[in-house]
């Protein structure tokens, strides 16, 4: 099946981990292709999530001015266009970009405005998710969610709140208040969990953060009771197959739980996570699911429709995006 021209929805995508070589050299011309491969792209197998995340440090260092944030956001839109993504949610941690004096508000405003330009230039619909980070203090996490509250609402592209970074090394305690605050202000929530830790981490995330989606959540497959709970409560899993093999959640792609989760009737989508660190497109990920698990258009279509159903965009956008996807798949069959 040729997925290249089919419309796609991507819910789990990190801005700072998706910088093309072109944009890296626009910001720092001295970076050679070898250096880019070594510093920005992870090998097929890292020791763990923490090892994988070291690539993000190089990227974040180049994302410290308004101009850099604008360039990288628009570069990502270009990549999404080439992959025929029609709706994307792009996430980032605003406070990572303040090392050279930008305020967190300036960071969010800049990415928000650049996203607006990207939407106009490409016709891709898009929203932003602000991520707090596992190693943050409670105060930092509250500051991040306060930004989400400030920017969430009509006329803004900020659609949701997330927690990212090293699940294995830091507990959830510092972030419970931030998620409660997001809930109190009707800010949609997703959370990275069930990636570097197992089902216990997913349960505690569900109980304390009350997200409607999980970033990854794939280790839920270790607990049959949890699978039933996720299905019955319509929790959507943002599954990123290649990334999970790189971070050693699964030894080989053949061991990945994606197909089992799908067959369990859980709402899920396929995502890249990081277009640079993982060095993949959505089309690549769909092909992986096809070649390893025998997926076809039926499964990929279902994942795209589940993704838009669970997107954080205004509800009135959803039927239009849904129609576009369904029409394209019908035309491809015919
Ligand atoms: Zn992620």
């Amino acid at each position: 099946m040729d997925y290249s021209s089919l419309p796609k929805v991507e819910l789990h995508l990190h801005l700072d981990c998706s910088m093309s070589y072109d944009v890296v050299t626009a910001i720092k011309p001295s970076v050679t292709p070898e250096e880019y491969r070594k510093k920005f792209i992870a090998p097929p197998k890292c020791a763990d999530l923490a090892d994988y995340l070291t690539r993000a440090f190089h990227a974040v260092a180049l994302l410290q001015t308004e101009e850099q944030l604008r360039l990288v956001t628009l570069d990502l839109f270009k990549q999404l266009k080439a992959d025929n993504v029609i709706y994307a949610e792009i996430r980032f941690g605003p406070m990572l970009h303040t090392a050279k004096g930008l305020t967190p508000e300036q960071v969010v405003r800049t990415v928000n405005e650049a996203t607006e330009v990207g939407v106009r230039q490409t016709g891709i619909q898009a929203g932003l998710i602000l991520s707090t980070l596992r190693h943050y203090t409670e105060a930092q996490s509250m500051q991040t969610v306060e930004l989400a509250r400030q920017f969430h609402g009509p006329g803004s592209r900020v659609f949701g709140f997330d927690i990212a970074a090293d699940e294995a090394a830091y507990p959830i305690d510092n972030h419970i208040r931030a998620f409660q605050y997001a809930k109190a202000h009707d800010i949609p929530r997703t959370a990275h969990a069930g990636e570097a830790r197992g089902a216990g981490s997913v349960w505690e995330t569900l109980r304390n953060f009350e997200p409607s989606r999980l970033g990854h959540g794939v280790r839920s497959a270790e607990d049959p009771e949890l699978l039933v709970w996720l299905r019955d409560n319509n929790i959507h899993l943002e599954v990123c197959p290649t990334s999970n093999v790189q971070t050693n959640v699964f030894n080989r792609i053949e061991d990945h739980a994606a197909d089992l989760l799908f067959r369990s009737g859980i709402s899920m989508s396929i995502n890249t996570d990081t277009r640079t660190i993982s060095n993949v497109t959505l089309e690549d990920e769909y092909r992986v699911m096809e070649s390893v698990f025998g997926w076809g258009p039926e499964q990929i279509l279902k994942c795209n429709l589940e993704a838009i159903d669970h997107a954080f965009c205004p509800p009135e956008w959803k039927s239009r995006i849904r129609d576009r996807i369904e029409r394209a798949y019908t035309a491809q069959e015919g």
Side-chain angles (χ1 to χ4, degrees), residues 29-187:
S30 63
V31 177
T32 63
E34 292 70 33
E35 192 183 351
Y36 177 74
R37 270 195 294 276
K38 201 162 150 246
K39 288 188 174 168
F40 292 81
I41 300 175
K45 197 51 118 182
C46 300
D48 54 19
L49 177 61
D51 177 19
Y52 174 89
L53 288 173
T54 58
R55 276 77 192 177
F57 302 154
H58 301 291
V60 165
L62 301 185
L63 273 167
Q64 298 299 336
T65 68
E66 290 186 349
E67 181 58 12
Q68 292 167 351
L69 287 164
R70 259 194 297 273
L71 280 171
V72 168
T73 305
L74 292 174
D75 171 70
L76 182 52
F77 270 89
K78 227 195 268 175
Q79 297 176 50
L80 293 171
K81 187 77 189 167
D83 206 11
N84 266 308
V85 172
I86 62 165
Y87 177 82
E89 286 177 8
I90 301 165
R91 62 186 77 194
F92 64 103
M95 300 212 291
L96 290 171
H97 309 288
T98 55
K100 288 197 174 152
L102 288 182
T103 65
E105 287 80 8
Q106 276 176 302
V107 172
V108 180
R109 198 174 307 119
T110 304
V111 178
N112 195 25
E113 286 169 6
T115 299
E116 208 58 65
V117 174
V119 168
R120 271 203 309 275
Q121 285 179 351
T122 61
I124 296 169
Q125 269 304 354
L128 299 171
I129 297 175
L130 305 190
S131 300
T132 187
L133 302 177
R134 277 264 178 178
H135 50 273
Y136 277 179
T137 62
E138 186 175 75
Q140 288 173 304
S141 218
M142 285 306 295
Q143 203 184 342
T144 309
V145 75
E146 181 55 32
L147 287 165
R149 189 203 57 77
Q150 196 184 324
F151 283 88
H152 180 246
S156 167
R157 292 277 164 188
V158 175
F159 290 171
F161 183 59
D162 167 48
I163 181 164
D166 194 352
E167 179 190 9
Y170 300 90
I172 62 165
D173 308 39
N174 285 354
H175 314 291
I176 296 172
R177 258 187 75 206
F179 273 86
Q180 284 171 349
Y181 185 86
K183 186 187 174 197
H185 288 89
D186 288 326
I187 300 167

Side-chain angles (χ1 to χ4, degrees), residues 263-290:
R263 285 188 283 105
S264 304
I266 289 167
S267 175
M268 62 174 273
S269 53
I270 299 293
N271 304 271
T272 64
D273 195 9
T274 63
R275 285 176 177 257
T276 300
I277 302 189
S278 290
N279 198 21
V280 285
T281 62
L282 268 188
E283 192 192 341
D284 295 335
E285 291 293 61
Y286 293 176
R287 266 203 240 106
V288 166
M289 294 309 294
E290 192 169 52

